Amino acid sequence: TLTPNYIAFGTDAITETVDVGAGSKTIEVAIYTGNKTESDRTFNLTSVNSTAPANAFSAPSSVVIEAGSNSAMIAVSALEAGLTFEFTDIVVEFAETTEIDTVPSTSSVVISVALVCPPADAANLTVEIDTDNWPDETVWNILDAGGNVVAAGGPYNNPADDFTTIVVPVGTLASGTYTWQLGDLYGDGGSAIRVLNGCNQVIASGAVGASL
């Protein structure tokens, strides 16, 4: 019985993340053929169906299955410069060839990749307040699970802080559940506040409403 004449990826889906600040991450993907031959074989690859932008990855254009072997590895690089915190897909496929049959379910591999903030940076918080013309009414608190205030701000100065962005470093908070309170001392709202982690990722945002 002849071994099926196929070429296939070892998997059809991979999920990876790249730490902010890492620059890139190498993702290895196995490729297999059904037969071994006495000479090297080169198969072309394409990534035209990728949804990831071109500056988010680097993928090889071909793979060589060496003589006497039925497997090889390719290295796909996920590049921080083109990635965001939302997952996007790098798709690597075999180009059409008459030399071999592909296995439909593994004739392509989809690598879903996104940026992730490392734990130390994720816990390092900053609060930004976009004030209205009454910053002296804007106040905010961050409470831990026990109801203790671990960070607070406001009221701010009027008119010196009118229509400006106030940046307040909160620092690193221990792992846990926190409650964020926003308030306007007059009760009519106005300013907008957001919380960012150490990777400049907005993790919470809102408009100031009623008094605390």
Side-chain angles (χ1 to χ4, degrees), residues 109-171:
V109 58
V110 179
I111 304 170
S112 297
V113 63
L115 290 179
V116 65
C117 195
D121 291 327
N124 185 16
L125 306 183
T126 298
V127 172
E128 293 183 351
I129 308 100
D130 295 328
T131 62
D132 60 0
N133 60 328
W134 298 103
D136 52 327
E137 299 173 358
T138 298
V139 290
W140 58 271
N141 291 329
I142 297 178
L143 310 179
D144 64 16
N148 303 301
V149 176
V150 296
Y156 297 98
N157 297 319
N158 188 358
D161 293 326
D162 288 6
F163 299 114
T164 189
T165 298
I166 298 171
V167 179
V168 183
V170 172

Side-chain angles (χ1 to χ4, degrees), residues 96-110:
E96 290 187 12
T97 176
T98 58
E99 298 180 16
I100 204 164
D101 300 322
T102 59
V103 178
S105 63
T106 51
S107 61
S108 65
V109 58
V110 179

Side-chain angles (χ1 to χ4, degrees), residues 20-184:
V20 171
S24 64
K25 187 173 191 177
T26 299
I27 303 160
E28 292 191 334
V29 186
I31 292 176
Y32 300 96
T33 60
N35 295 316
K36 297 178 182 179
T37 62
E38 296 179 355
S39 58
D40 291 353
R41 291 171 290 173
T42 300
F43 298 97
N44 292 328
L45 301 168
T46 179
S47 53
V48 295
N49 290 321
S50 300
T51 58
N55 65 335
F57 70 96
S58 175
S61 59
S62 64
V63 60
V64 175
I65 306 294
E66 296 181 350
S69 175
N70 69 334
S71 65
M73 299 290 292
I74 62 169
V76 177
S77 295
L79 308 176
E80 179 182 351
L83 296 174
T84 68
F85 293 102
E86 300 294 328
F87 279 94
T88 189
D89 293 338
I90 304 167
V91 181
V92 183
E93 302 170 291
F94 296 113
E96 290 187 12
T97 176
T98 58
E99 298 180 16
I100 204 164
D101 300 322
T102 59
V103 178
S105 63
T106 51
S107 61
S108 65
V109 58
V110 179
I111 304 170
S112 297
V113 63
L115 290 179
V116 65
C117 195
D121 291 327
N124 185 16
L125 306 183
T126 298
V127 172
E128 293 183 351
I129 308 100
D130 295 328
T131 62
D132 60 0
N133 60 328
W134 298 103
D136 52 327
E137 299 173 358
T138 298
V139 290
W140 58 271
N141 291 329
I142 297 178
L143 310 179
D144 64 16
N148 303 301
V149 176
V150 296
Y156 297 98
N157 297 319
N158 188 358
D161 293 326
D162 288 6
F163 299 114
T164 189
T165 298
I166 298 171
V167 179
V168 183
V170 172
T172 299
L173 298 183
S175 178
T177 300
Y178 293 88
T179 302
W180 184 32
Q181 295 180 327
L182 313 178
D184 184 274

